Amino acid sequence: MREVAIIGAGELGGMAAHVLARRHAADLIRLIDDRRAAAEGKALDIMQAAPLEHSAATVVGASDVSTAAGAGIVVLADVMGGGAWQGDAGVRRLEQLNVVAPRALFVCAGATQRELVERGARELGLLRTRIVGSAAHALAAAATALVAL
């Protein structure tokens, strides 16, 4: 079973869960946020849209980081009502996740998470093959769009 955990049910986290479900990139998507009701609500919205989008993925909401155990990919997105995971709080959350999902690939999806990728490798000793950021891809896409205009 392909399993993805998304940490943060903000705009970025909710969109990532929706896109992964719609493209059936995972069988199980866990949307995890300290605001459990928000994570569960977004997961329910995505599941209700699934028949219209021909999606067979299961999306569930949770608040406990330990539910990320077993995920092959863990996406650090944005906190509901806050910004992207970063700084000391981001490093602490990354450290918790590394204990829970020691074999997972960590994807820092926020545009401001370059420092989190660097600190994860430097301070937590994560292999650079296990932690990546997507900001470079977002920048490249934005540049391509501007050039096309």
Side-chain angles (χ1 to χ4, degrees), residues 7 34 65 76 85 88-97:
I7 311 303
D34 291 338
V65 175
L76 280 91
W85 284 101
D88 292 337
V91 173
R92 282 192 304 275
R93 184 52 51 109
L94 191 56
E95 187 174 28
Q96 292 172 337
L97 290 163

Side-chain angles (χ1 to χ4, degrees), residues 91 94 115-127 131:
V91 173
L94 191 56
E115 179 189 0
L116 184 58
V117 173
E118 291 174 3
R119 288 182 68 185
R122 186 178 63 244
E123 296 174 24
L124 302 178
L126 292 173
L127 296 176
I131 183 166

Side-chain angles (χ1 to χ4, degrees), residues 10-143:
E11 293 295 321
L12 179 59
M15 181 58 70
H18 191 185
V19 169
L20 290 173
R22 187 175 38 201
R23 294 186 179 176
H24 196 65
D27 298 319
L28 176 61
I29 301 163
R30 295 187 189 279
L31 190 54
I32 304 167
D33 196 284
D34 291 338
R35 294 185 177 181
R36 183 180 186 150
E40 289 176 341
K42 285 194 178 192
L44 180 61
D45 288 346
I46 295 166
M47 289 299 297
Q48 288 177 335
L52 299 173
E53 296 175 340
H54 307 290
S55 172
T58 301
V59 183
V60 295
S63 61
D64 187 1
V65 175
S66 68
T67 59
I73 298 174
V74 176
V75 178
L76 280 91
D78 55 342
V79 180
M80 183 67 183
W85 284 101
Q86 55 187 336
D88 292 337
V91 173
R92 282 192 304 275
R93 184 52 51 109
L94 191 56
E95 187 174 28
Q96 292 172 337
L97 290 163
N98 191 38
V99 171
V100 171
R103 292 188 178 96
L105 169 67
F106 296 108
V107 177
C108 296
T112 60
Q113 292 179 323
R114 179 185 57 80
E115 179 189 0
L116 184 58
V117 173
E118 291 174 3
R119 288 182 68 185
R122 186 178 63 244
E123 296 174 24
L124 302 178
L126 292 173
L127 296 176
R128 295 215 180 250
T129 56
R130 282 196 55 223
I131 183 166
V132 298
S134 65
H137 296 292
L139 178 61

